[in-house]
């Protein structure tokens, strides 16, 4: 019998239930996938807590890698035995499972050099880093960026990629241990935002100029200091809201912050076009397979430890990527 994690009401990690499930045979356009590893992403907590509303009961998780066990009618791109990975949004919910049926559309074939564990640790986080570094801003090399939560899953990949682009990286972290991790993955400067004034430190580091781009996945707690860290006509990229939603603001504030730009991007809009998705996947897999970007799996859990895994992620106890090993 396959196992699945579901939730029947939104709330704290304890709403997650570990259950048996009958998977059945794939319908037209679907495959049956046996998961080898499943990604644990901060976005999963938004679904669980209700920040991203979904009809209940619901499966959870949007990233996993495994082996195709059966293919439905009309599936021509995959055969039994293929190793694949996927990520998505509401279209892929249900990744926290040992086996599942899934549309073949979001599946990506894994090359030889990339294991299922690595894939589950980077398909969402790495593709996000890919579009953040390669699509959001026309980096020429030499720019300085501010990267919040630099020791996190997305953070460690973005910092390494930013160095490949020749950027100067200022990373924020909440502890000295995380500072070491972030430094080891390319951050040139570290600000501990649990006790340092971020905007003031950024001005010191940049000789008063500010940064070209801020990647802010923290949200509520950092929004204002992120705006205050930008150089004139800089770009604030609101990547996520780990500390809570950003309160409504008057766009006139952007004029007062040096004619700043703001974007709130989502991965789905950068991988909707199959050709663009293939390009971003190709760049990511190329960097990882060649060892130019290391995917750090610093937490491994069993699927029936999903409650603890969510507590750890929300409790800021993790660094790098977290996965469930099936
Ligand atoms: N827009 C997109 O396309 C996209 C795609 C993927 C991920 N994301 C976003 O990127 C962010 C990172 O995702 P991830 O899965 O890699 O998670 P993560 O960065 O590994 O974990 C979140 C980190 O945020 C920091 N943080 C700051 N304030 C926090 C608070 N009040 N509560 C909890 N954490 C807090 C913590 O680092 P410190 O202890 O160092 O502060 C924590 O470790 C998330 O916001 C996620 O939603 C966005």
């Amino acid at each position: 019998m396959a196992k699945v994690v579901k939730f029947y009401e939104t709330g704290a990690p304890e709403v997650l239930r570990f259950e048996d499930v009958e998977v059945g045979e794939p319908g037209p356009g679907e495959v049956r996938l046996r998961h080898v590893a499943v990604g644990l992403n901060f976005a999963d907590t938004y679904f669980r807590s209700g920040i991203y509303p979904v009809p209940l009961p619901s499966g959870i998780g949007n990233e996993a890698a495994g082996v195709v066990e059966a293919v439905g009618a009309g599936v021509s791109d995959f055969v039994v035995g293929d190793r694949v990975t996927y990520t998505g949004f509401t279209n892929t919910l249900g990744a926290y499972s040992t086996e599942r049926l899934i549309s073949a559309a979001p599946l990506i074939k894994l090359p030889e050099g990339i294991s299922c564990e690595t894939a589950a640790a980077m398909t969402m986080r790495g593709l996000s880093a890919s579009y953040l570094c390669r699509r959001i801003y026309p980096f020429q090399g030499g720019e300085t960026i501010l990267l919040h939560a630099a020791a996190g899953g997305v953070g460690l990949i973005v910092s390494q990629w930013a160095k490949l682009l020749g950027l100067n990286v200022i990373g924020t972290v909440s502890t000295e241990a995380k500072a070491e991790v972030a430094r080891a993955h390319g951050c040139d400067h570290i600000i501990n935002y649990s006790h340092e004034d971020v905007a003031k430190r950024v001005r010191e580091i940049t000789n008063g100029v500010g940064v070209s781009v801020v990647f802010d996945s923290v949200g509520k707690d950092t929004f204002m200091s992120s705006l205050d860290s930008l150089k004139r006509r800089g770009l604030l990229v609101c990547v996520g809201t780990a500390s809570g939603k950003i309160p409504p603001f008057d766009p006139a504030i952007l004029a007062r912050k040096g004619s700043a730009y703001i974007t709130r991007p989502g991965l789905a809009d950068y991988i909707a076009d199959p050709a663009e998705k293939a390009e971003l996947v190709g760049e990511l897999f190329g960097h990882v397979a060649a060892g130019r970007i290391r995917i750090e799996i610093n937490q491994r859990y069993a699927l029936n430890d999903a409650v603890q895994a969510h507590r750890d992620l929300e409790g800021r106890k993790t660094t790098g990527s977290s996965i469930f090993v099936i």
Side-chain angles (χ1 to χ4, degrees):
M1 189 69 94
K3 303 282 184 190
V4 65
V5 176
K6 289 175 80 169
F7 59 112
Y8 291 77
E9 55 180 331
T10 55
E14 294 72 28
V15 300
L16 299 176
R17 301 267 175 273
F18 186 64
E19 297 180 351
D20 290 337
V21 66
E22 200 71 62
V23 173
E25 292 306 312
E30 288 184 333
V31 309
R32 191 175 70 236
L33 203 54
R34 178 173 55 77
H35 286 157
V36 174
V38 174
L40 165 62
N41 286 282
F42 213 89
D44 304 344
T45 72
Y46 303 148
F47 283 101
R48 191 211 70 226
S49 66
I51 292 176
Y52 291 163
V54 282
L56 298 176
S58 174
I60 184 165
N62 280 309
E63 178 186 47
V67 180
V68 173
E69 296 236 297
V71 295
V75 174
S76 53
D77 292 342
F78 300 95
V79 296
V80 171
D82 277 349
R83 291 184 328 117
V84 297
T85 186
Y86 64 87
T87 188
F89 197 57
T90 47
N91 59 324
T92 52
L93 270 179
Y96 288 18
S97 53
T98 55
E99 271 178 66
R100 73 176 299 178
L101 300 179
I102 185 168
S103 159
L107 300 183
I108 303 163
K109 259 187 211 157
L110 276 179
E112 276 292 302
I114 293 181
S115 71
C116 285
E117 289 201 1
T118 297
M122 72 158 183
T123 305
M124 180 182 285
R125 283 157 281 214
L127 282 177
S128 300
S130 183
Y131 86 76
L132 290 172
C133 291
R134 303 288 289 138
R135 292 293 187 277
I136 287 274
Y137 187 88
F139 290 117
Q140 305 294 309
E143 295 92 341
T144 301
I145 65 165
L146 174 63
L147 171 64
H148 285 306
V154 173
L156 287 189
I157 306 175
V158 170
S159 56
Q160 293 176 82
W161 206 313
K163 292 315 291 176
L164 294 176
L165 296 175
L167 309 184
N168 189 31
V169 183
I170 306 173
T172 63
V173 294
S174 67
T175 67
E176 201 36 55
K178 289 189 176 188
E180 268 178 43
V181 176
R183 270 193 208 98
H185 291 80
C187 285
D188 300 283
H189 305 272
I190 293 289
I191 300 173
N192 184 328
Y193 53 11
S194 57
H195 62 82
E196 290 186 278
D197 179 331
V198 172
K200 183 163 165 267
R201 287 281 293 117
V202 166
R203 294 287 158 193
E204 284 166 9
I205 294 166
T206 59
N207 298 318
V209 175
V211 299
S212 300
V213 176
V214 179
F215 290 120
D216 187 343
S217 62
V218 174
K220 183 163 73 70
D221 291 354
T222 45
F223 178 68
M224 216 31 94
S225 61
S226 292
L227 277 178
D228 285 330
S229 298
L230 288 171
K231 72 176 198 185
R232 184 166 279 145
R233 286 157 52 181
L235 172 66
L236 169 55
V237 186
C238 297
V239 183
T241 52
S243 68
K245 279 188 178 178
I246 297 162
F249 61 91
D250 177 356
I253 196 175
L254 302 179
R256 295 198 296 275
K257 303 293 178 187
S259 302
Y261 291 82
I262 290 195
T263 180
R264 198 321 182 181
L267 172 60
D269 291 312
Y270 287 83
I271 57 173
D273 172 53
E276 185 165 35
K277 180 179 177 181
E279 240 177 75
L280 294 175
V281 167
E283 281 203 50
L284 173 66
F285 285 5
H287 285 318
V288 172
R292 290 187 290 271
I293 289 179
R294 303 194 305 278
I295 304 300
E296 307 291 7
I297 304 173
N298 293 345
Q299 296 74 218
R300 286 181 165 80
Y301 300 92
L303 199 54
N304 61 3
D305 272 343
V307 171
Q308 188 58 44
H310 275 225
R311 284 186 192 134
D312 291 350
L313 187 58
E314 290 178 294
R316 307 168 78 161
K317 297 208 168 77
T318 65
T319 58
S321 292
S322 307
I323 61 168
F324 298 100
V325 179
I326 305 302

Coordinates of all heavy atoms in Angstrom, one line a residue, residues 30-31 33 64 68 75 78 84-87 92 102-109 277:
E30 N -1.3 10.5 -18.1 CA -0.6 10.4 -16.8 C 0.4 9.3 -16.7 O 0.4 8.4 -17.5 CB -1.7 10.0 -15.7 CG -2.7 11.1 -15.4 CD -3.6 10.7 -14.3 OE1 -3.9 9.5 -14.1 OE2 -4.1 11.6 -13.6
V31 N 1.2 9.4 -15.7 CA 2.1 8.3 -15.3 C 1.9 7.9 -13.9 O 1.5 8.7 -13.1 CB 3.6 8.6 -15.6 CG1 3.9 9.1 -17.0 CG2 4.2 9.5 -14.5
L33 N 4.2 7.1 -10.7 CA 5.6 7.4 -10.3 C 5.8 6.8 -9.0 O 5.1 7.0 -8.0 CB 5.7 8.9 -10.3 CG 7.1 9.6 -10.4 CD1 7.7 9.1 -11.7 CD2 6.9 11.1 -10.5
A64 N 9.3 16.4 -6.3 CA 9.8 15.0 -6.0 C 10.5 14.4 -7.2 O 10.4 15.0 -8.3 CB 8.7 14.1 -5.6
V68 N 9.4 6.1 -13.2 CA 8.2 5.9 -13.9 C 7.9 4.4 -13.8 O 8.7 3.6 -14.2 CB 8.2 6.4 -15.3 CG1 6.9 6.0 -16.1 CG2 8.4 7.9 -15.4
V75 N 0.8 9.0 -23.6 CA 2.1 9.5 -23.1 C 3.2 9.0 -23.9 O 3.5 7.7 -24.0 CB 2.4 9.1 -21.6 CG1 3.8 9.5 -21.1 CG2 1.3 9.6 -20.7
F78 N 7.7 9.5 -22.1 CA 8.3 8.8 -21.0 C 8.0 7.3 -21.1 O 6.9 6.9 -21.6 CB 7.8 9.3 -19.7 CG 8.1 10.8 -19.5 CD1 7.2 11.8 -19.8 CD2 9.3 11.2 -19.0 CE1 7.5 13.1 -19.7 CE2 9.7 12.5 -18.8 CZ 8.7 13.5 -19.2
V84 N 12.8 10.6 -13.3 CA 12.2 11.9 -13.6 C 12.2 12.7 -12.3 O 12.2 12.2 -11.2 CB 10.8 11.8 -14.2 CG1 10.9 11.1 -15.6 CG2 9.8 11.1 -13.3
T85 N 12.0 14.0 -12.5 CA 11.8 14.9 -11.4 C 10.7 15.9 -11.8 O 10.4 16.0 -13.0 CB 13.1 15.7 -11.0 OG1 12.9 16.5 -9.8 CG2 13.6 16.6 -12.1
Y86 N 10.1 16.6 -10.9 CA 9.1 17.6 -11.2 C 9.0 18.7 -10.1 O 9.3 18.4 -9.0 CB 7.7 17.0 -11.5 CG 7.1 16.3 -10.3 CD1 6.3 17.0 -9.4 CD2 7.3 14.9 -10.1 CE1 5.7 16.4 -8.3 CE2 6.7 14.3 -8.9 CZ 6.0 15.0 -8.1 OH 5.4 14.4 -7.0
T87 N 8.4 19.8 -10.5 CA 8.0 20.8 -9.6 C 6.8 21.5 -10.2 O 6.6 21.4 -11.4 CB 9.1 21.8 -9.2 OG1 8.6 22.6 -8.1 CG2 9.5 22.7 -10.3
T92 N 0.7 20.2 -9.1 CA 1.6 19.0 -8.7 C 1.4 18.7 -7.2 O 2.1 17.8 -6.7 CB 3.1 19.3 -9.0 OG1 3.4 20.5 -8.4 CG2 3.4 19.3 -10.4
I102 N 0.4 11.2 -11.8 CA 0.7 12.6 -12.1 C 0.7 12.8 -13.6 O 1.0 11.9 -14.3 CB 2.0 13.0 -11.4 CG1 2.2 14.5 -11.6 CG2 3.2 12.2 -12.0 CD1 3.4 15.1 -10.8
S103 N 0.2 13.9 -14.0 CA 0.2 14.3 -15.4 C 1.7 14.2 -15.9 O 2.6 14.7 -15.1 CB -0.3 15.7 -15.6 OG 0.1 16.2 -16.8
A104 N 1.9 13.8 -17.1 CA 3.3 13.7 -17.6 C 3.8 15.1 -17.9 O 5.0 15.3 -18.0 CB 3.4 12.9 -18.9
A105 N 2.9 16.1 -18.0 CA 3.3 17.5 -18.5 C 4.5 18.1 -17.7 O 5.4 18.6 -18.3 CB 2.1 18.4 -18.5
P106 N 4.4 18.1 -16.3 CA 5.5 18.8 -15.6 C 6.8 18.0 -15.5 O 7.8 18.5 -14.9 CB 4.9 19.0 -14.2 CG 3.9 18.0 -14.0 CD 3.4 17.6 -15.4
L107 N 6.8 16.7 -15.9 CA 8.0 15.8 -15.7 C 9.2 16.2 -16.5 O 9.1 16.6 -17.6 CB 7.6 14.4 -16.0 CG 6.5 13.8 -15.2 CD1 6.3 12.3 -15.5 CD2 6.7 13.9 -13.7
I108 N 10.4 16.1 -15.8 CA 11.6 16.4 -16.5 C 12.5 15.2 -16.3 O 12.7 14.6 -15.2 CB 12.4 17.6 -15.7 CG1 11.5 18.8 -15.7 CG2 13.7 17.8 -16.3 CD1 11.9 19.8 -14.6
K109 N 13.1 14.7 -17.5 CA 14.0 13.5 -17.4 C 15.3 13.9 -16.7 O 15.8 14.9 -16.9 CB 14.3 13.0 -18.8 CG 13.4 11.8 -19.2 CD 13.9 11.2 -20.5 CE 12.6 10.6 -21.1 NZ 12.6 10.4 -22.5
K277 N 11.6 26.7 -20.2 CA 11.8 25.8 -19.1 C 13.0 24.9 -19.4 O 13.9 24.7 -18.5 CB 10.5 24.9 -18.9 CG 10.7 23.9 -17.8 CD 9.4 23.1 -17.6 CE 9.5 22.0 -16.5 NZ 8.3 21.2 -16.3

